[in-house]
Structures are given as C-alpha cells and as structure tokens.
C-alpha cells in the first residue's frame, strides 16, 4: 500500500485546516504551520508521489548538479531543467540595475527578458560565468565547504606551500565515515554556512541531513539473498552457519542505512514532493556506494506552508487516489563512481512502473 501519498495528503489537509496566514519574501502570502515530519519506508517503493505526475528528469538533474559541486545554472539549462531560472534571473535583474545605472541620465540600460537571459546562458560563456552563478549554495557546501571563488569556479584553498587548507568534501567524508564508523552520530552534511549566507542567491531551504545505520539480522540478509535460491527444510536455518556463509559469499549487505533531512522552509505543494524524491535518490546512491540497504527516509520540516496561489491545486490533489509507488534501479556498476560521484548521467537512474495521476500546474514563487 502507498502510504507516502496518503501522509502527504494528510499534511496538505492539516495546513488547509490549521495554517495561519503569513507574509513571505516573495509577496505571495502563505498558509503556514510549524514543525511537522514525513517518513517513508524505502522497502515499500521509491518515494515519488503518484497523486500528481512528478518531474522525474528535473529531480535527477538537480541532484546530480548538487553532487557535481556546481553552482552555475549552465548545467541545468543545458539539461533542460529550469527550476532555478527564476532565482538566477531575479539575481541578475537586481545586480544588472545596480551595475548599469547611469548617474548622468538617471536611467538604466535596457534589461533583457528572462527568455533572452536563458538564451545567453546557453550560448555565451562569458555571460554565463558572470550571470549564471548563484553563489555558494548547496553544491559548493556539500562538496567544497571552505573553498573560494576564482575564475568562475569554486576552488579549494591552499597555503603558500600548496597544502590543502579548505574545501571540505562533506559527501566524501560521509561515505568514508559510513565505511569506517557506521554507528557514528556525527555523520551530518550541512549546507547552512553562516559565513556565506549573504553571498547566496537563496539560502538553503533544506539545510542539513544525517545518516543513520543499523545491523541487519541474518534473517533479513537471507531475504535479500533470495529465500527461493535456498533448498532447505531446516527450521533453524536462519541461525545456521551455512546461511551466514551464503550471504557473505554473495556480498549481501550487513547494514541498513537511513537518511533524515532538515528543512527550514517548505513549499509544500511544489517543493516538498521534489525534496522527498531527491533525498530518496541520494539515499539510494549512498547506500549503493557503501553496500547498504536503503531503510527509512525522514523529513523534519520547519515552516511548512502552502502559497496562497497553490490552495486550489492542493484541494485538487486531495481528491485523488494514490497509486502504487514505482521502483528504482541504479543502472551502473558498483564502485563505478567511487572517486567523486560526479560522473552520473540521467540514464544511470531507471524508474520502473511509475503510474500517476495527471500533472497539476502551479506557479513557482521566487
């Protein structure tokens, strides 16, 4: 049974029934509640909502952009993913007016349209380097915390002797810690760098995440191996050394891994379904990297809101019946991306049996 859509719909209804009206930076206005949580058992299917059609390609593309450590929208635009276009254009608009103001005439140069802006991002490398950069947002913090910006790229700091003094790769550190100390309570990746918030086009909405692992029982490992492969009538088989030998020889995982992310600001209609699937995908990627089984995905949510121009869309989604969740296959060899997790392409992530209700369109507030 698909409980993810059910719990998501319950959250929508709770906001509609209990949300208080609040102003916000976009000027749209919201209905808001504070402090909610959403949980999903990854064994029940991949967490992609079915009560509306989800933008799978955009979800994958944005996560790969983060994992590349990229903070320029060029990669997104080249891959036909436009979810950050509005933030980039708003930043461009603000800076462009300031930089082109003519004090003699008291006027500005003509501001290009958003479509013209995106066309220049596609075709003009110098323009892209200057105007496509969003500052030290997610990718930079995940992969290069403490690095500095130079020549259009975030670069790790070195001292006069060439020794590395910054640029912490939090993702790689997490992988290393999962392999060497899987019970560590310090396996956290943060995007909330207080020293660089003022340089970001948009401070991170989902600001940190944490990994948690547990040991699998022999019975759980045998099920992963495939009970149908085993020919035995031994009632005590699960405690038998032969079972242990089989699962060890087949490199069956010995641990399950969970991920919990914290989100300070939650656009519940457009953003949250995207975030759930994105962190579900990240959990799948890291689990494969460290040979663990994806276990539970948990979102701890702060200011959980519906924009006022999403209310009717939320009511429409509440009328819809959930369908079965899809399955995900990570179509690449184990260890193929061990070095930096930066070589993925969209085709490495194959979604099976995704059925959904139709798309529900809603404006994005920037």
């Amino acid at each position: 049974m698909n409980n993810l859509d059910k719990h998501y719909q319950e959250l929508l209804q709770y906001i509609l029934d209990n949300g208080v009206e609040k102003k916000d930076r976009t000027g749209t206005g919201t209905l808001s509640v504070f402090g909610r949580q959403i949980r999903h058992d990854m064994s029940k299917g991949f967490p992609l909502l079915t009560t509306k059609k989800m933008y799978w390609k955009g979800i994958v593309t944005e996560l790969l952009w983060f994992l590349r450590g990229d903070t320029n929208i060029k990669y997104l635009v080249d891959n036909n993913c436009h979810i950050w276009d509005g933030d980039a254009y708003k930043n461009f608009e603000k800076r462009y007016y300031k930089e082109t103001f003519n004090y003699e005439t008291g006027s500005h140069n003509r501001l290009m349209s958003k479509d013209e802006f995106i066309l220049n991002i596609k075709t003009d490398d110098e323009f892209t380097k200057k105007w496509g950069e969003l500052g030290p947002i997610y990718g930079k913090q995940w992969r290069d915390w403490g690095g500095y910006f130079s020549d259009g790229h975030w670069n790790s700091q070195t001292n006069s002797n060439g020794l590395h003094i910054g640029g912490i790769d939090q993702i790689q550190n997490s992988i290393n810690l999962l392999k060497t100390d899987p019970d560590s309570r310090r396996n956290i990746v943060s995007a909330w760098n207080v020293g660089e918030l003022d340089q970001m086009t948009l401070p991170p909405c989902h600001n940190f995440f944490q990994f948690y692992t547990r040991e699998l029982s022999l019975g759980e490992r045998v099920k992963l191996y495939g009970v149908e492969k085993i020919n035995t009538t031994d009632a005590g088989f699960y405690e038998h050394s032969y079972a242990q030998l089989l699962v060890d020889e087949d490199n069956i995982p010995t641990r399950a891994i969970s991920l919990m992310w914290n989100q300070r600001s939650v656009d519940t209609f457009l953003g949250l379904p995207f975030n759930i699937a994105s962190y579900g995908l990240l959990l799948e990627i890291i689990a494969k990297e460290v040979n663990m089984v994806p276990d539970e995905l948990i979102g701890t949510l702060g200011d959980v809101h519906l924009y006022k121009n999403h209310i009717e869309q939320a009511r429409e989604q509440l009328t819809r019946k959930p369908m079965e969740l899809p399955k995900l296959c990570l179509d690449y060899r184990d260890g193929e991306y061990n070095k930096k997790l930066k070589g993925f392409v969209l085709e490495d992530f194959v979604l099976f049996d995704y059925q959904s209700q139709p798309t529900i369109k809603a404006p994005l507030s920037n």
Side-chain angles (χ1 to χ4, degrees):
M1 180 180 178
N2 174 3
N3 286 319
L4 178 65
D5 275 273
K6 176 185 174 184
H7 294 326
Y8 175 76
Q9 288 174 314
E10 289 171 351
L11 180 58
L12 290 179
Q13 189 65 62
Y14 185 85
I15 298 170
L16 289 171
D17 292 342
N18 300 284
V20 298
E21 292 193 20
K22 292 189 71 173
K23 297 177 181 179
D24 70 285
R25 65 176 178 84
T26 72
T28 308
T30 68
L31 289 179
S32 170
V33 298
F34 185 64
R36 309 304 294 174
Q37 193 172 76
I38 197 157
R39 308 176 77 102
H40 174 65
D41 179 349
M42 294 293 288
S43 70
K44 304 300 183 183
F46 186 76
L48 193 66
L49 292 187
T50 67
T51 45
K52 67 178 179 182
K53 186 174 178 62
M54 293 293 297
Y55 181 28
W56 173 242
K57 179 180 177 182
I59 292 166
V60 177
T61 300
E62 186 196 44
L63 179 61
L64 300 191
W65 182 58
F66 292 161
L67 289 174
R68 285 161 53 92
D70 203 343
T71 56
N72 193 296
I73 65 166
K74 172 70 170 172
Y75 175 84
L76 299 177
V77 169
D78 285 348
N79 284 278
N80 200 30
C81 178
H82 298 285
I83 55 179
W84 282 85
D85 288 5
D87 292 298
Y89 182 70
K90 187 176 181 180
N91 184 51
F92 164 73
E93 184 178 28
K94 181 171 61 176
R95 290 174 54 202
Y96 188 79
Y97 274 136
K98 184 177 181 180
E99 292 186 18
T100 64
F101 183 76
N102 187 318
Y103 287 92
E104 293 183 1
T105 64
S107 62
H108 304 271
N109 292 350
R110 184 187 77 85
L111 178 71
M112 66 179 65
S113 69
K114 185 176 176 181
D115 287 342
E116 291 174 314
F117 172 76
I118 296 303
L119 180 61
N120 274 276
I121 293 292
K122 289 180 179 179
T123 58
D124 187 330
D125 289 343
E126 288 301 313
F127 181 90
T128 299
K129 184 183 293 186
K130 180 175 182 180
W131 300 110
E133 179 57 47
L134 296 172
I137 61 170
Y138 299 99
K140 191 267 184 182
Q141 304 303 337
W142 284 15
R143 306 309 307 258
D144 195 23
W145 178 293
Y148 69 98
F149 193 73
S150 174
D151 193 30
H153 300 284
W154 294 101
N155 300 290
S156 299
Q157 299 180 45
T158 56
N159 62 17
S160 58
N161 296 321
L163 297 177
H164 185 270
I165 58 172
I168 299 168
D169 187 344
Q170 295 188 83
I171 296 292
Q172 189 59 54
N173 283 356
S174 273
I175 291 170
N176 295 343
L177 193 56
L178 286 166
K179 291 178 177 179
T180 59
D181 187 7
D183 285 324
S184 173
R185 297 188 293 269
R186 301 178 182 182
N187 204 328
I188 291 173
V189 172
S190 176
W192 194 260
N193 187 335
V194 295
E196 297 182 349
L197 293 177
D198 61 345
Q199 302 171 46
M200 304 178 189
T201 297
L202 182 68
C205 294
H206 40 104
N207 45 347
F208 72 86
F209 58 92
Q210 179 178 359
F211 291 111
Y212 175 92
T213 78
R214 64 175 179 86
E215 290 189 358
L216 293 170
S217 69
L218 181 57
E220 287 176 306
R221 295 185 71 204
V222 168
K223 287 180 181 178
L224 290 171
Y225 177 82
V227 176
E228 68 281 355
K229 296 180 183 179
I230 303 170
N231 182 19
T232 182
T233 57
D234 184 355
F237 174 75
Y238 291 129
E239 302 300 323
H240 200 282
S241 59
Y242 178 57
Q244 188 77 53
L245 178 64
L246 285 177
V247 295
D248 288 347
E249 284 185 345
D250 211 45
N251 198 31
I252 299 299
T254 62
R255 283 185 174 261
I257 179 172
S258 296
L259 182 153
M260 180 173 68
W261 84 92
N262 188 83
Q263 192 158 343
R264 65 170 182 87
S265 177
V266 187
D267 173 355
T268 308
F269 185 76
L270 284 180
L272 181 57
F274 208 95
N275 302 136
I276 293 169
S278 180
Y279 276 108
L281 180 56
L282 179 62
L283 177 54
E284 292 274 4
I285 291 171
I286 299 300
K288 183 164 185 175
E289 194 71 17
V290 297
N291 193 32
M292 295 183 188
V293 179
D295 199 5
E296 192 171 17
L297 180 69
I298 305 162
T300 299
L301 313 175
D303 186 322
V304 189
H305 50 266
L306 276 172
Y307 283 103
K308 289 187 174 180
N309 55 3
H310 294 169
I311 289 175
E312 291 309 312
Q313 291 91 332
R315 286 178 174 148
E316 165 65 22
Q317 193 165 356
L318 283 169
T319 67
R320 296 182 170 188
K321 184 178 179 180
M323 307 171 86
E324 288 300 313
L325 292 175
K327 298 178 179 61
L328 179 70
C329 174
L330 276 61
D331 192 21
Y332 58 90
R333 297 188 304 276
D334 290 343
E336 189 172 351
Y337 297 101
N338 272 347
K339 289 185 178 179
K340 288 293 180 181
L341 294 181
K342 295 181 179 181
F344 293 116
V345 294
L346 180 67
E347 292 72 25
D348 289 325
F349 308 96
V350 183
L351 200 63
F352 290 100
D353 301 326
Y354 181 52
Q355 302 177 68
S356 73
Q357 306 287 358
T359 301
I360 305 176
K361 293 184 178 181
L364 180 64
S365 294
N366 295 119

